[in-house]
Amino acid sequence: MNPTARTNHYEGPCAVCGATVPAETGVVLPGSHGGWEVYHPEHAREPGPPPRGTHPGWHHRRLMSLDIAATGPRTGVDRILAVALRVSDGPDRDWLIDPGPGLALDPRTTHGITLDRARADGLPPERVLDETADAVAAHLATRELLVVWHAPYVLTFVESELLRHGLRPLAERCPAGLFPLCDPLVVDRHVDRYRGGGRSLRKVTAWYGVPHENPGDPGSDAQAALVLAEVLGACHPSLGRLSRAALHHEQTLWRERQASDAEAYHPDRKQDHRWPLATVEALPWEPPPGG
């Protein structure tokens, strides 16, 4: 039996067959569009996302997705090793970066890119970062959504690396700044606030049935995030029907509430409330903890 189900205390029509379910004989589950629905026990659905609708919205428009792989998680200290861009109606773009000597990988990295490979096959960071920033800026200039899973991590990394190499910041290349964006992590936490099971990209794509063949690889992650954004818009009509500007604005509010909720639940864990960009800084290299 679905662990979220509970016995119905009142009779009502079955959400599947329409026949009356007498009180205390069926189950009640959260409805696909809010509220609760009653089912005959044999018709009760297993846990899963709402069905995908056919309503129009931003999820049918042109989307670009950005992801990176780095030597570790410290946005001001670690260095980007790879960049991937995916477009819903265009070719894939992938870059490998030569980060230079004197670095080490954080032992917790999962992307599988070794420093030897990056140094042997990678391009100069200035070239890759400049091309990436130009491609992203050109897309945002069209006012179409840029999809970035965990945007404060990825975008802060990119801006910090641009600063490190004396290149124009991404925010300055975009007429309207870093806008409009879609962060599927923030969106999913908003539309399904109480779902358990973790919120890694791997787990969220599995929940929504989105293919994700090689978690950790920036190309695979970028493609998975792009499709996930489309599916989120299709599964949640009130979300999909938002304008692109409204979606961007709402995410700043959702992220603020999510950070506040997390701090209330874990007072000892400080949350960064900023979205979509955290502190941009280019700090000297330091070995990773445990490295």
Side-chain angles (χ1 to χ4, degrees):
M1 177 65 68
N2 187 329
T4 64
R6 66 188 192 190
T7 302
N8 66 316
H9 297 306
Y10 305 96
E11 72 173 32
C14 176
V16 173
C17 69
T20 298
V21 182
E24 309 297 337
T25 66
V27 295
V28 175
L29 290 167
S32 300
H33 306 294
W36 297 83
E37 295 174 337
V38 64
Y39 296 82
H40 289 106
E42 64 271 21
H43 293 160
R45 55 186 169 81
E46 291 301 313
R52 303 180 190 182
T54 58
H55 51 280
W58 54 263
H59 52 294
H60 292 298
R61 300 179 65 92
R62 187 174 191 264
L63 301 177
M64 173 182 280
S65 181
L66 166 69
D67 200 49
I68 64 168
T71 58
R74 302 166 298 174
T75 56
V77 176
D78 281 299
R79 310 300 163 84
I80 296 177
L81 296 176
V83 179
L85 290 175
R86 296 292 181 268
V87 185
S88 55
D89 64 351
D92 298 345
R93 299 189 69 180
D94 297 273
W95 295 269
L96 195 63
I97 293 177
D98 176 2
L103 305 177
L105 286 179
D106 189 300
R108 297 167 291 181
T109 55
T110 60
H111 49 66
I113 300 171
T114 66
L115 286 175
D116 286 344
R117 177 189 165 201
R119 288 172 179 140
D121 301 331
L123 297 171
E126 296 86 353
R127 172 181 167 183
V128 174
L129 293 165
D130 206 35
E131 290 182 6
T132 299
D134 278 349
V136 169
H139 176 78
L140 288 177
T142 67
R143 298 300 180 96
E144 299 294 352
L145 287 164
L146 176 69
V147 177
V148 190
W149 174 269
H150 197 359
Y153 171 79
V154 173
L155 295 177
T156 305
F157 235 123
V158 171
E159 289 289 68
S160 295
E161 284 282 67
L162 289 167
L163 175 64
R164 185 187 314 282
H165 293 283
L167 301 170
R168 281 183 69 206
L170 180 57
E172 289 186 7
R173 302 181 192 221
C174 305
L178 295 175
F179 171 92
L181 303 178
C182 174
D183 185 339
L185 175 58
V186 172
V187 172
D188 178 60
R189 281 176 169 163
H190 171 73
V191 298
D192 205 348
R193 185 177 179 184
Y194 299 107
R195 187 179 80 245
R199 300 288 174 145
S200 68
L201 180 58
R202 178 180 61 83
K203 290 184 177 181
V204 177
T205 52
W207 173 258
Y208 281 95
V210 172
H212 192 189
E213 296 179 357
N214 190 14
D217 173 79
S220 178
D221 288 354
Q223 180 64 27
L226 188 150
V227 177
L228 177 60
E230 294 174 331
V231 171
L232 283 164
C235 287
H236 302 280
S238 62
L239 174 73
R241 292 191 177 105
L242 289 173
S243 70
R244 286 155 284 162
L247 176 64
H248 182 103
H249 175 69
E250 289 295 328
Q251 286 172 98
T252 64
L253 304 179
W254 298 341
R255 174 55 195 155
E256 171 64 32
R257 188 184 71 185
Q258 291 161 12
S260 297
D261 288 349
E263 287 177 340
Y265 192 74
H266 294 289
D268 58 326
R269 300 180 188 176
K270 179 65 176 176
Q271 295 285 320
D272 193 332
H273 294 235
R274 291 169 294 180
W275 185 93
L277 202 62
T279 301
V280 175
E281 53 188 356
L283 301 175
W285 170 257
E286 293 182 1

